[in-house]
Amino acid sequence: MMLGNRRSGSMRPTDPRERKENLKKGLRIAKIIFAAAVLLILAGGSFYSIQEEEQAVVCTFGAPRAVTTPGLHFKIPLIQSVTKVNTTIRGLSIGYKDSDGDGAADQDALMITSDYNFIYVDFYAEYRVTDPVKALYASEDPELVLQNIAQNCIRTTIGSYSVDSVLTTGKNEIQSNIKQMIVDKLEAYDIGITLVNITIQDATPPTAEVENAFKEVETAKQGKETALNNANKYRNEQIPNAEAESDKILQEAEAEKQERINEANGQVARFNSMYQEYVKFPDVTKKRMFYEAMEDVLPDIKLIIQGSGGTVNTMLPLESFVTQNGEGGTNRNSEQTEQTGEEE
């Protein structure tokens, strides 16, 4: 009986005052734990980091602000919200066939040229975010806006070129015009993104027969360019040779010209010397000129005239008309004697 009374005494309910103290103590511990948890949550949400390829948009009571500096940044918990935006260059395909082959992309790629030919053209556009605030809030889907703008500019530009230009020689010009049109429209819409580049990935006719024909045309144009390059190479090789030959001919002509001038000057000097003799003895000079002409007409002839009184004169071949050391005077005397004998 005593043992039973002890057990029942040990299991007696605690004092109400003690229970109240324990409850207060438990509440204090719970508050401390809750406060610590809140502090940890707030401390963890007060900082954010930005990578090199990112920018952030911080909203304070709905007012956005761009943060572009990489690194660790602070924000006010529960008041400021942060949205990170990727600013690297991203790609957008326009006109490519879908993997499931439903034909939707074929309609985007099918275009008509200025000469009313159908053609499939695939483009690849590269763009990046330049203003993260406008990229988030200026439009609901800036990439979709870019795609619609690009399709409009592509169709407008392709429609102003012939099918030959699109397939062969006009690709660079077409790409440049499309890029400029897209850039201008993006600046007008001001949605926070810009076009980096757009290229034609592929351009094919709608049928295999037409595609083969254009390939043959392209091959012929390449052959034409090769022939032109070879011709230009041959021309560049031959022009220096022709110029050298021309210089040689000119130099030879100049030398011959100078030679003829010198010869003419010598003939003038000879004529002047003969004229001086002619002025002194006109008749004798005329007769000598006659004999010189006969000497030319009858070469290798020797003419000797014997006059009265035993005088013998050699008429042909003639001696030099203009001599030195008084020889010319002797000849003139003999000719004067000859003329006198003939007159007698």
Side-chain angles (χ1 to χ4, degrees):
M1 291 295 296
M2 292 180 62
L3 182 60
N5 290 334
R6 287 178 182 176
R7 288 180 177 176
S8 61
S10 63
M11 296 177 64
R12 226 176 9 173
T14 58
D15 189 26
R17 201 178 281 178
E18 184 179 356
R19 283 188 300 171
K20 188 176 182 180
E21 290 295 332
N22 292 335
L23 182 61
K24 288 181 180 180
K25 184 177 180 181
L27 289 175
R28 285 197 298 269
I29 294 173
K31 288 180 180 179
I32 293 173
I33 294 174
F34 178 76
V38 170
L39 288 176
L40 288 175
I41 293 173
L42 293 177
S46 299
F47 296 94
Y48 64 95
S49 62
I50 301 177
Q51 303 297 325
E52 290 289 341
E53 68 279 1
E54 294 178 334
Q55 292 185 9
V57 177
V58 180
C59 287
T60 305
F61 297 112
R65 176 178 60 89
V67 179
T68 60
T69 306
L72 190 66
H73 298 270
F74 174 79
K75 71 175 180 126
I76 301 174
L78 305 178
I79 295 178
Q80 292 181 326
S81 62
V82 177
T83 304
K84 297 180 181 180
V85 179
N86 187 1
T87 58
T88 58
I89 296 177
R90 287 178 284 179
L92 175 65
S93 300
I94 303 173
Y96 283 91
K97 296 181 180 180
D98 294 334
S99 58
D100 55 1
D102 59 359
D106 289 353
Q107 297 302 319
D108 294 337
L110 183 61
M111 303 178 189
I112 187 170
T113 60
S114 62
D115 51 359
Y116 304 105
N117 284 298
F118 289 98
I119 186 173
Y120 288 108
V121 186
D122 300 331
F123 284 84
Y124 187 78
E126 295 177 312
Y127 71 96
R128 66 184 180 88
V129 174
T130 54
D131 190 330
V133 175
K134 293 179 180 179
L136 288 176
Y137 300 106
S139 63
E140 183 177 356
D141 189 350
E143 183 175 312
L144 180 60
V145 175
L146 173 61
Q147 184 175 3
N148 293 333
I149 292 174
Q151 288 181 353
N152 177 266
C153 296
I154 288 170
R155 292 186 180 278
T156 302
T157 305
I158 294 296
S160 62
Y161 284 86
S162 65
V163 66
D164 290 336
S165 299
V166 178
L167 289 174
T168 56
T169 59
K171 290 184 178 180
N172 292 332
E173 183 178 351
I174 291 172
Q175 292 174 172
S176 177
N177 292 340
I178 292 174
K179 179 180 179 181
Q180 188 60 46
M181 290 178 65
I182 295 175
V183 169
D184 293 341
K185 288 191 176 185
L186 286 177
E187 289 179 356
Y189 289 167
D190 197 17
I191 58 176
I193 63 175
T194 185
L195 181 70
V196 177
N197 193 24
I198 185 168
T199 56
I200 298 177
Q201 296 297 307
D202 192 17
T204 58
T207 61
E209 292 79 4
V210 178
E211 182 177 1
N212 293 333
F214 278 108
K215 287 182 179 179
E216 292 178 359
V217 171
E218 182 66 18
T219 302
K221 288 183 178 180
Q222 292 178 357
K224 173 185 174 183
E225 293 178 358
T226 302
L228 287 175
N229 293 334
N230 293 335
N232 290 331
K233 179 182 178 182
Y234 178 76
R235 181 190 65 181
N236 294 334
E237 292 175 352
Q238 293 301 319
I239 284 178
N241 297 334
E243 290 178 349
E245 186 68 20
S246 175
D247 292 339
K248 179 181 178 181
I249 293 173
L250 289 175
Q251 291 175 1
E252 292 177 352
E254 188 67 25
E256 186 176 356
K257 168 189 170 183
Q258 192 63 39
E259 182 180 355
R260 291 192 178 185
I261 290 174
N262 295 334
E263 182 180 355
N265 290 332
Q267 291 179 358
V268 170
R270 180 173 177 271
F271 177 81
N272 289 334
S273 64
M274 291 178 64
Y275 180 73
Q276 292 175 1
E277 297 297 329
Y278 173 79
V279 171
K280 296 178 182 178
F281 307 102
D283 295 335
V284 174
T285 304
K286 286 181 180 180
K287 186 170 291 189
R288 180 179 178 84
M289 293 175 66
F290 170 77
Y291 289 140
E292 287 179 350
M294 293 303 297
E295 186 176 14
D296 292 335
V297 174
L298 302 173
D300 299 330
I301 189 172
K302 186 174 182 180
L303 179 60
I304 299 175
I305 299 177
Q306 182 176 1
S308 61
T311 303
V312 178
N313 293 324
T314 302
M315 303 304 298
L316 292 176
L318 296 176
E319 296 180 0
S320 177
F321 183 73
V322 181
T323 58
Q324 297 178 355
N325 298 327
E327 293 179 359
T330 304
N331 293 336
R332 286 194 296 272
N333 291 334
S334 62
E335 290 180 356
Q336 290 175 0
T337 304
E338 176 187 354
Q339 182 179 7
T340 304
E342 290 182 355
E343 291 177 353
E344 291 177 355

